[in-house]
Amino acid sequence: GESVGLHLPTLSVQEGDNSIINCAYSNSASDYFIWYKQESGKGPQFIIDIRSNMDKRQGQRVTVLLNKTVKHLSLQIAATQPGDSAVYFCAEYDAGKSTFGDGTTLTVKP
Amino acid sequence: DGGITQSPKYLFRKEGQNVTLSCEQNLNHDAMYWYRQDPGQGLRLIYYSQIVNDFQKGDIAEGYSVSREKKESFPLTVTSAQKNPTAFYLCASSIRGREKLFFGSGTQLSVL
């Protein structure tokens, strides 16, 4: 069936560097995508979203890029901080429900 | 403060026992969802409800049941038919027709 996938299960970066987390999706009918951040033992929290009619959206220190041609989504975190250490999920929305990828664990080294 | 409350935080189930996980929200959201999360994996949809007294099966509904008698509440029962219930269970809500999910803090279910 349709699924959302992440390219790397883990990512380790140095504090202050930029992080790029990737996600591949296969449901061409999905028209909305969200990135969530999940800290240990907690529920996921919304970070940023993007609609399928856009290719880039920026927030505070985060940018989401959408390439519909190759069905690829990425989350860029600028000047990564220790508090950014968490698991990051992309989710695609279609027909009233969200489908999540497997997640990328981001570790920030001091 | 508005939010979603899940209880208990930890729950243990004996063989052949049904257990119920509670989820309450005061966000006035119409839609509510239950997800299951296994270690190192993403979230899989169990059941969802877009409106009171109505709910739909998600991708992994077998061995689970739900009810939606009140807008604020969406309890999940893990039945004895669910042979591998150990997981982290997450409840979420959203404004109906809107994509952004608000999550509770989860319930960790383990089998004794």
Side-chain angles (χ1 to χ4, degrees):
Chain A
E2 302 282 9
S3 66
V4 172
L6 283 159
H7 289 301
L8 292 174
T10 61
L11 177 65
S12 182
V13 301
Q14 206 70 36
E15 181 178 356
D17 288 351
N18 296 334
S19 303
I20 299 176
I21 300 172
N22 296 307
C23 174
Y25 67 95
S26 57
N27 183 2
S28 57
S30 295
D31 58 3
Y32 187 78
F33 303 88
I34 300 179
W35 281 99
Y36 291 91
K37 173 186 180 182
Q38 185 179 27
E39 297 177 341
S40 182
K42 298 182 180 179
Q45 288 185 302
F46 171 90
I47 302 173
I48 192 168
D49 56 1
I50 189 167
R51 295 206 173 276
S52 60
N53 61 354
M54 302 170 65
D55 54 16
K56 180 179 180 179
R57 190 165 188 213
Q58 287 184 293
Q60 186 178 12
R61 281 202 308 120
V62 294
T63 300
V64 56
L65 301 177
L66 175 62
N67 185 330
K68 294 183 291 294
T69 302
V70 295
K71 296 188 178 69
H72 183 268
L73 194 68
S74 70
L75 176 70
Q76 300 178 2
I77 304 173
T80 312
Q81 303 169 359
D84 295 326
S85 293
V87 181
Y88 291 82
F89 294 97
C90 66
E92 57 179 322
Y93 181 87
D94 177 44
K97 56 183 180 177
S98 295
T99 301
F100 286 77
D102 288 336
T104 290
T105 299
L106 176 64
T107 301
V108 181
K109 297 177 289 185
Chain B
D1 290 336
I4 301 177
T5 301
Q6 290 187 241
S7 62
K9 189 167 179 64
Y10 301 96
L11 186 59
F12 297 91
R13 194 192 88 167
K14 296 179 181 178
E15 292 288 339
Q17 185 182 40
N18 293 351
V19 292
T20 297
L21 285 60
S22 171
C23 179
E24 303 277 334
Q25 55 99 359
N26 60 4
L27 298 169
N28 199 33
H29 287 170
D30 288 305
M32 296 187 75
Y33 308 80
W34 275 106
Y35 286 89
R36 169 179 171 144
Q37 185 175 28
D38 292 283
Q41 296 187 31
L43 283 64
R44 292 183 290 168
L45 184 63
I46 305 173
Y47 269 98
Y48 62 109
S49 168
Q50 297 289 340
I51 197 168
V52 175
N53 292 322
D54 188 40
F55 49 83
Q56 289 78 39
K57 292 182 179 180
D59 301 319
I60 56 166
E62 186 174 351
Y64 301 97
S65 65
V66 294
S67 63
R68 187 82 190 279
E69 297 176 0
K70 298 187 300 181
K71 185 176 184 178
E72 301 80 15
S73 179
F74 191 40
L76 173 74
T77 296
V78 184
T79 75
S80 57
Q82 173 50 246
K83 299 306 180 185
N84 184 23
T86 297
F88 190 53
Y89 291 85
L90 286 159
C91 178
S93 71
S94 71
I95 298 171
R96 186 180 180 188
R98 301 293 289 274
E99 307 86 348
K100 179 179 175 181
L101 297 175
F102 293 80
F103 283 89
S105 55
T107 293
Q108 175 64 50
L109 175 63
S110 303
V111 176
L112 289 176

